[in-house]
């Protein structure tokens, strides 16, 4: 009997050692990551990226379709159980930087609720709020918090979709929090540097400033991949599908040589023509890219103001634009801060063949899903 009890206890211990699945529905794929703690050093147990052809909203309104997409993944991979930590789609919430004054006999929660009342439409009971404090100067009378505001009906709609698809939600949060958790893990315990992440979306992008393991800022910027593709399509008089293929296939070359040098020094007329096309694409998109650089500069100034002058030491890019070839080189040519594409799966190279990632998505970042998976580790 003792041996049986010990065996059952060991099974329970093993189950607890596996974290919940980080689960994210992106614009064109469902991303899943699950971690093993491995003595305090998390490693990826399983991961999958499942493309879909519906819009994200259509998929959320069709839980049976989601269930059908997930069925072969759970059968063929090393995922354990169907418990998930997930995040709301970006269109389902807004993040507001809010100042508030804690008073005598009033909690931070109550002070934040009072401060946020005037910034939402309708009754506050129609929304679900969450917040995290932002580091402020020690002598400041006011405090700052990043508050996520989500319409209650949208949250219920999303959770019901997952429930009907056969998933059990262990926790619900927002993408910037998950990214902050991942970047906090990547930083050493004694390294409280400021970093900036840029999550490129379809119509908007999200800039987040991370101070060590704390989130200092999350700001939505009305610059997304669709605007860049539309700009290119209009300037070159080509349809948007072709413009998208050009950017996803070739990216933008940022060779330091000018067009004439390239044409004169190249042995291949095709290479010279490709360089001229790439330079033309850069010329067309540069105003929009410089608008993003201006937002980056604002974020770095804010980071310094909130951390006693400490600069942003590194920028991580992820999302749609980050999948363009040479995306990191492109932004390095515009910003004088080290930049890299955030691709945590690349840290687990021996496992990549087992992760069910289709060939065309090899460079897809699973940053948010990985950050979600780390919540319970």
């Amino acid at each position: 009997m003792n041996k049986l009890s010990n065996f059952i206890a060991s099974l329970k211990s093993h189950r607890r050692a596996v974290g919940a699945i980080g689960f994210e529905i992106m614009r064109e794929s469902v991303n899943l990551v699950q971690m093993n703690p491995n003595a305090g050093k998390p490693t990826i147990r399983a991961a999958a990226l499942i493309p879909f052809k519906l819009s994200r909203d259509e998929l959320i309104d069709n839980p049976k379709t989601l269930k059908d997409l997930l069925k072969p993944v759970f059968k063929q991979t090393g995922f354990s159980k169907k418990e998930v930590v997930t995040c709301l789609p970006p269109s389902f919430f807004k993040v507001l930087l809010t100042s508030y004054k804690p008073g005598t006999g009033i909690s931070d929660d109550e002070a934040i609720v009072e401060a946020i009342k005037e910034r939402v439409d309708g009754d506050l009971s129609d929304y679900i709020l969450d917040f995290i404090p932002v580091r402020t100067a020690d002598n400041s009378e006011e405090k700052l918090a990043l508050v996520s505001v989500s319409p209650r009906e949208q949250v219920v709609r999303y959770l019901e979709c997952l429930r009907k698809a056969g998933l059990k939600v262990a926790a619900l949060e927002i993408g910037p929090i998950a990214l902050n958790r991942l970047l906090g893990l990547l930083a050493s315990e004694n390294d409280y540097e400021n970093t900036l992440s840029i999550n490129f979306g379809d119509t908007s992008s999200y800039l987040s400033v991370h101070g060590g393991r704390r989130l200092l800022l999350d700001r939505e910027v009305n610059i997304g991949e669709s605007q860049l593709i539309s700009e290119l399509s209009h300037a070159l008089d080509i349809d948007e599908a072709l413009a998208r293929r050009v950017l996803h296939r070739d990216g933008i070359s940022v060779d330091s040589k000018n067009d004439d040098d390239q044409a004169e020094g190249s042995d291949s007329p095709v290479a010279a023509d490709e360089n001229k096309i790439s330079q033309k694409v850069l010329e067309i998109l540069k105003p929009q890219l410089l608008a993003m650089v201006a937002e980056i500069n604002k974020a770095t100034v804010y980071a310094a103001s909130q951390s006693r002058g400490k600069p942003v030491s590194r920028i991580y890019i992820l999302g749609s634009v980050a999948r363009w070839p040479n995306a990191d080189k492109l932004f390095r040519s515009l910003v004088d801060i080290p930049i890299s594409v955030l691709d945590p799966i690349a840290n687990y190279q021996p496992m990549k063949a087992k992760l069910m990632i289709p060939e065309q998505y090899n460079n897809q970042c699973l940053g948010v899903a990985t950050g979600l998976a780390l919540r319970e580790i």
Side-chain angles (χ1 to χ4, degrees), residues 12-13 54 122 172 184 191 249 256 282 290 306 329 331 350:
K12 290 181 178 178
S13 175
L54 302 174
L172 176 67
D191 189 358
R249 183 193 64 201
S256 58
L282 178 58
L290 290 178
Q306 294 297 317
K329 294 180 182 178
F331 281 94

Side-chain angles (χ1 to χ4, degrees), residues 10 12 31-32 43 94 119 160 182 198 203 205 207 296 334 338 350 375:
S10 70
K12 290 181 178 178
N31 292 359
L32 301 90
T43 56
K94 288 184 178 180
R119 301 184 63 181
E160 277 295 284
L182 175 64
I198 308 174
T203 57
S205 299
L207 276 70
I296 291 172
L334 301 171
R375 179 185 170 103

